Amino acid sequence: MALRAEDGVRPEASSRRSKITPEREREFFDAVLELIREHGYEAVTMDGVAAATRCSKSTLYRQWKTKTQFVAAALRASRRGGFAAIDTGSLAGDLRQVAASLGEVSHGDTRLSQALGHAITADSDLRDALREALVDPEVAALRAILRRGVDRGEVPADHPALPFVPDMLFGVMRIRPVLSARYADAGHMVRFVESAVLPSLGLDEDPGRPPAG
């Protein structure tokens, strides 16, 4: 992957990583990911991150030799725990909670994925880091939720729609900005689950439940 000159290894950069606090490292990671969201991957440079975090460029180069390494580290550090804490006692309730959680992070996650664009198709480390941070934990936890629903007898294990639930949820979250120039917020995601996902699984709505706002 072609990088700008300032994103390569600097002659003055030491091969030994300097010690920085976890809090300062988190500032660096937050800054580079926000700059990518705002300006796109190709436009972000180590100079820009150094300016945004008020540190010397050599400090960044001592930690990460290239922009690609830096961004991959930032993505991996932002890995979330997925939906592991969600357990309402019913599959329908769990899926509503998943939808609301996706809606809460939709703006930042979708912008980041879009901004990385071509870079993740050209660089396998970036692509793997993005999957580890934003995709794999959520998909794994969602599949565990679906398995609990099967174990409770709410949906048959061989139901043809089960394998497509992750595709439906993540797909609508990612595509909404393209189709309507609006991000899929929590309300939109919950309405989608109630109108499309639950019926596809043969799960009836609670008759006394008010519609999602």
Side-chain angles (χ1 to χ4, degrees):
M1 177 184 219
L3 293 176
R4 302 182 184 201
E6 68 267 31
D7 292 333
V9 180
R10 300 295 294 180
E12 70 270 21
S14 167
S15 60
R16 182 172 59 85
R17 286 168 62 93
S18 63
K19 292 183 179 180
I20 59 174
T21 66
E23 293 78 16
R24 187 60 167 148
E25 185 177 64
R26 182 73 261 169
E27 287 181 33
F28 292 153
F29 289 158
D30 289 345
V32 73
L33 295 181
E34 187 55 32
L35 286 170
I36 290 170
R37 291 186 184 100
E38 292 293 331
H39 305 291
Y41 177 80
E42 298 299 337
V44 173
T45 66
M46 293 294 233
D47 283 321
V49 179
T53 56
R54 298 187 178 185
C55 74
S56 68
K57 190 166 54 175
S58 61
T59 297
L60 299 179
Y61 279 116
R62 278 194 296 270
Q63 307 301 316
W64 307 280
K65 293 182 178 180
T66 67
K67 182 175 77 171
T68 300
Q69 290 180 6
F70 185 18
V71 174
L75 286 168
R76 290 189 169 101
S78 69
R79 179 186 173 111
R80 294 192 296 265
F83 313 116
I86 293 177
D87 189 356
T88 66
S90 75
L91 182 54
D94 288 351
L95 290 176
R96 288 189 185 95
Q97 288 288 320
V98 167
S101 297
L102 283 174
E104 290 170 2
V105 299
S106 173
H107 184 263
D109 285 6
T110 303
R111 286 174 64 211
L112 183 59
S113 298
Q114 291 172 337
L116 285 167
H118 173 71
I120 60 174
T121 66
D123 189 287
S124 60
D125 192 41
L126 275 180
R127 182 175 62 249
D128 291 346
L130 181 69
R131 287 187 56 84
E132 290 173 21
L134 304 182
V135 179
D136 292 346
E138 281 85 351
V139 171
L142 179 54
R143 293 197 188 284
I145 285 170
L146 295 172
R147 283 194 298 273
R148 288 203 305 267
V150 170
D151 293 342
R152 287 190 296 255
E154 296 174 86
V155 62
D158 60 352
H159 194 292
L162 273 177
F164 296 103
V165 172
D167 304 61
M168 288 190 281
L169 287 171
F170 290 102
V172 75
M173 183 177 80
R174 297 285 187 252
I175 200 63
R176 194 180 191 218
V178 177
L179 296 180
S180 63
R182 298 174 64 188
Y183 289 98
D185 61 15
H188 181 81
M189 291 300 300
V190 172
R191 287 193 297 274
F192 174 73
V193 161
E194 293 177 343
S195 302
V197 179
L198 298 185
S200 76
L201 294 172
L203 298 174
D204 294 329
E205 277 275 29
D206 288 338
R209 181 181 179 84

